[in-house]
Amino acid sequence: MLVGGGHSHVGVLRRFGMHPLPGVRLTVICRDTHTPYSGMLPGYIAGHYGYDEVHIDLSRLARFAGARFFRDEAIGLDRDARKVICRNRPPVPYDYLSINIGSTPQMSQVAGADEHAVPVKPINGFNQRWLLLLERVRKHAGATRIAVVGGGAGGVELTLAMQYRLRQELRTLGRDPDELGFHLLTSDPVILPTHNNSVRRAFERVLAARGVVLHCNAEVNQVSAARLHTAGGENVDADEIVWVTRAGGAPWLRETGLALDADGFIQVGDTLQTVTDPKLFAAGDIASMVNHPREKAGVFAVRQGPPLAENLRRAVHGQALKPYRPQSSWLALISTGDRYAVASRGALCLQGAWVWRWKDWIDRRFMRKFSEFPNMETRPADAAPSSVILGEEEAAQALSAIAMRCGGCGAKVGATVLSRALGALHPVERDDVLVGLHAPDDAAVVRVPPGKAMVHTVDFFRDFIDDPYIFGKIAANHALGDIFAMGAEAQSATAIVTVPAGLEAKVEDTLFQMMSGAIEVLNDANCALVGGHTGEGRELALGFAVNGLIDDDIRAVLRKGGMRPGDVLVLTKPIGTGTLFAAHPLLKARGRWIDAALASMCQSNRLAAQCLREHGATACTDLTGFGLLGHLVEMTKPSGVDAELDLAALPILEGAEETSAAGILSSLQPANVRLRRALRNQQQALHHPRYALIFDPQTAGGLLASVPQARAEPCLKALRALGYAQAAVIGRVLPQGDALEPIVLKLG
Ligand SMILES: Cc1cc2nc3c(=O)[nH]c(=O)nc-3n(C[C@H](O)[C@H](O)[C@H](O)COP(=O)(O)OP(=O)(O)OC[C@H]3O[C@@H](n4cnc5c(N)ncnc54)[C@H](O)[C@@H]3O)c2cc1C
């Protein structure tokens, strides 16, 4: 289990990708999908690089490594139970754990700093804070004073990079770049205290030439609105205060019982194992090597990647770990913002534009390792089957998992595993469930209240994301979609699960994670899970038979066939999940595209359905496997109408146009494309960049509804207020014409 996607863990992941370790399941838990490479951060701030050039896409990297990627934040450890406590999901168990979460600003030690200063750490969050600062400076009329607190390499580099960029911005806006004033404060007597005199002098000259006011021996002990106060009694006025000093370990580490140093960093020995727990490792800024203290720098975190990977591998094999000694002097290439840099190593100091080009070459080469992967088919062959250390009982289970499974008893998963996994879950209880999981029997018994009719639906599909908790949420959401599309409320559900055979503890956890996600969604819909069946299968898969209740009056049912000419078509969520999840395993989808698609798939249709009904929707369906066109035709046919679909108005998930343009389409797409015969102007539309997306199959897609034209605007407004940010009017309902094809595409 890797917690954090810092500079060491990206190296571990790449190594596991190149040399997989059979029998080992690797999981990464990281708060951010895109993790910044600190060496290029100043170049990004200065405007020389774009966002994707300086960030490593952990979602793609994890996929390459064959690792599960859980986007979440660790907030604690249960070391007795060997579980990582996460902010947004149930605890995740580990056998071996490595922590590489960087450092956290310790601003609360300085009065007012939390409130008035912008911390550069954690660096992964700095981009957002930087973009806001950029915007504030652009909008700030007149002079802007910026103070940077911290005179190490980070503070100096950041000052010069910000100054370079902000001066360019003001010039572009037709303003005088000299409106900007910069102050750099450090509590030390000099800047860059860990570098040699020549390097220091080089930077002192650059700072002086650029008009940056340097305040040495200036320990900031209080920050108030637009003012810094130092221990020496100096006051420095500043509109923006950037904090590049005093970082420590994450506060939650104090509760873990791990030995920490005075700044809260985890103490590790030469093997990168924590001094407290040999199954727990740490690397990068968060680790404090007790025998080799070093300053906090990305270069050490990067260098720890290979020995960490090697020692994790050795640990699971039960082999002796190798000690690692970080280098005592290291090459720092520190930039001055304007494509110029200074090289510092021991007593060496070199500078020039060529040093910047050299740095740029090194940094880009480093980043290519994490964006250009060897073809999965042709990567180095696995070593001999690995001999992971297992206990006697676990070894027996592992053998049984690879042996021929008999398939008797409907290939059910063992009762203990199932009851343990499900025992910790708490489905909602409803009065109309007479026999459910609270009193398990051969079947569930539910009452249909007087005046109500029952709505049935079933959906089932296999895992496509390698995150059982999120998969469980999506599977439940997808199944509930049909109920909401009918205008019904969900009442009860039975689950059907297949789970691959394996070590009992792992099977149990997979089931637990997946069903936790599902039950959260079902509970949110007040839908009681009343039973289910779990069997072994080749792949993890989950489905639900869901029952809903609706008024016993067919006119209350929101069916597909109610569209009326003059209505407009409203779509509540963006499309594109099919192509994006076809691209994901091919490493062709950016992590943030996948994040946004997952968030959309996790969004329930319940509130949207209610809103559409309140705004007089005449027909409704949920978008799933047949794609937008398929579901639209399912509506026009029984309604006896035609429809116009406005391609420009379609809400589309970020990245879906790129992946479909690259020809990456879902395996269901060809079947859906057969429906092109329903298009009146298919030939003209063929080369439209969004054409392929109308056939794209959706998982847990949005609702497609027809709404009276006059109510469309308020309906859209209400949908957006409910959180359906991309809800849109995507076309209109037309009277049935003479043409055989019911759908015309608006191409403008
Ligand atoms: C402006 C600036 C410039 C710098 N330039 C250089 C340079 O040129 N060279 C150099 O060597 N060093 C440089 N540094 C120092 C460098 O940034 C750090 O030493 C380096 O980032 C530490 O790397 P790391 O792998 O320990 O952690 P980080 O790079 O901070 O990565 C931590 C990761 O863990 C994740 N994470 C954090 N908390 C949690 C959590 N609770 N749960 C799950 N995930 C979590 C984050 O999302 C992130 O992916 C610079 C620093 C600054 C501020």
Side-chain angles (χ1 to χ4, degrees), residues 3-8 29-32 35-36 38-42 58 72-75 100-103 120-124 154-155 157-158 244 252 283-286 296-301 330 333 359:
V3 170
H7 295 64
S8 317
I29 298 179
C30 191
R31 190 177 52 201
D32 301 281
T35 199
S38 58
M40 290 174 95
L41 205 65
L58 283 175
D72 213 314
E73 183 181 1
I75 54 167
N100 177 209
I101 56 173
S103 37
V120 74
K121 298 267 180 173
I123 57 167
N124 48 294
E157 237 185 333
L158 197 68
V244 200
W252 59 263
D285 275 10
I286 196 62
K296 302 292 178 196
V299 64
F300 292 115
W330 51 286
L333 299 171
K359 173 176 165 55

Side-chain angles (χ1 to χ4, degrees), residues 133 137 144-148 162 166 180-183 238-240 242:
L133 188 150
V137 174
T144 305
R145 297 148 307 178
I146 298 173
V148 177
M162 286 198 301
L166 291 171
L180 291 166
F182 271 86
H183 293 261
D239 303 293
E240 297 288 346
V242 181

Side-chain angles (χ1 to χ4, degrees), residues 48 54 103 113 131 135 180 287 380 386 411 425 468 473 665 713 734 742:
H48 306 315
V54 306
S103 37
L131 294 177
E135 201 45 36
L180 291 166
S386 70
L425 302 173
K473 280 188 157 202
L665 301 165
E713 257 326 296
L734 307 170

